[in-house]
Amino acid sequence: MRKRQQQPLQTPFFLPRNAGNEPENLDKKPQFHLDLWFYFTVQNWILDFGRPIAMIILPLEWFPLNKPSVGDYFHMAYNIITPFLLLKLIERSPKTLPLSAVYICIITFVMGASIHLVGDSVNHRLILSGYQLHLSVRDNPMMKELKPETLIDSFELLYYYDESLGHLMWYIPLFIIFCLYFTGCFTLCRKDSRMPMSAWLLLGPSSLYYWYLVTEGQIFVLYIFTTFAMMATVMHKKRKGLVMDSNGLFLFYSFCITLVLISVWVAFLWNDKILRRKYPGVMYVPEPWAYYTLHIKKTP
């Protein structure tokens, strides 16, 4: 009689690929991912923070308003490089993570960042035409002159795609991936719970960028929930006798220092009446570029 071939076992869709077969490796000495964290920091500062600066510095004649600007090319590069770095970061996690969830986060991240690319590109051209970021869409003087008035609704929709939907689809998957990666950044050996000098040197630029990310992206609630999730993970792992390794310490300290920087920023602008009108309510976290157009940029 012919033997029936045994079918390979299928793992559930949202479970880690090697769940139940490959134990989490806690005995292996963790290595600080200097190359990845360095690439993250450099490309974040150049391609994200430096994007609007490059558009202001470079002559407008080089990039006509009806063509992609240098900032758009920066954004395109960011949308390609960052998902690649996130995948490499997940690959180096000593813990087997749910790959299906990671892939969904990466796909959503790329889609959200691409939506933001289009909205931000048009938004920058509006700034060159006199649009003021510290005012709402309808309160901008240039919008009040639009005819027919229904065009203002279209610009409000563009603003929603740029500042709300695009940011949420961009940053929620990013922070979820950081949280998933953070769950694997623990070790049994307390001697490994220390950061090398290279990590301390990167800590300042990394924290300062996350301050910009949270304030300009208007994602303070998402950021604070992510920080609390990291704290809860630390306390849960501590009950099991585990401590953060160098990568976990770097990520955790970056988020904690970011909270201090945000507190200083909010305190500095606490009594700004104009910004208060644009950012009403308890969660008052002004955008740096709104501060720039209000207090620094020279209006013609």
Side-chain angles (χ1 to χ4, degrees), residues 6-12 17 21:
Q6 186 176 0
Q7 296 294 329
L9 294 176
Q10 300 293 324
T11 55
R17 182 174 52 186
N21 299 326

Side-chain angles (χ1 to χ4, degrees), residues 32 34 38 41 195-207 250:
F32 180 68
L34 175 60
F38 177 77
T41 304
M195 293 198 308
M197 181 57 65
S198 56
W200 287 107
L201 292 176
L202 282 177
L203 189 60
S206 177
S207 303
F250 177 78

Side-chain angles (χ1 to χ4, degrees), residues 37-74:
W37 292 122
F38 177 77
Y39 296 149
F40 261 119
T41 304
V42 171
Q43 70 101 25
N44 284 335
W45 275 101
I46 295 177
L47 300 181
D48 191 17
F49 178 80
R51 182 177 72 250
I53 297 177
M55 290 189 288
I56 293 175
I57 294 177
L58 294 181
L60 185 61
E61 294 77 15
W62 294 5
F63 303 94
L65 292 180
N66 61 342
K67 301 292 183 181
S69 68
V70 61
D72 298 338
Y73 292 116
F74 275 32

Side-chain angles (χ1 to χ4, degrees), residues 37 41 44-45 171 174-175 178 200 202-228 230-231 249-267 284-286 288:
W37 292 122
T41 304
N44 284 335
W45 275 101
Y171 297 132
L174 176 66
F175 281 25
F178 278 152
W200 287 107
L202 282 177
L203 189 60
S206 177
S207 303
L208 192 58
Y209 169 75
Y210 288 133
W211 162 81
Y212 172 78
L213 184 75
V214 174
T215 53
E216 186 64 28
Q218 293 293 286
I219 53 169
F220 179 76
V221 175
L222 174 62
Y223 154 77
I224 204 68
F225 272 107
T226 304
T227 305
F228 287 158
M230 288 184 176
M231 292 179 179
L249 288 171
F250 177 78
L251 191 58
F252 185 73
Y253 286 167
S254 296
F255 274 61
C256 291
I257 295 175
T258 299
L259 183 60
V260 176
L261 295 175
I262 294 173
S263 301
V264 173
W265 173 252
V266 171
Y284 172 68
V285 184

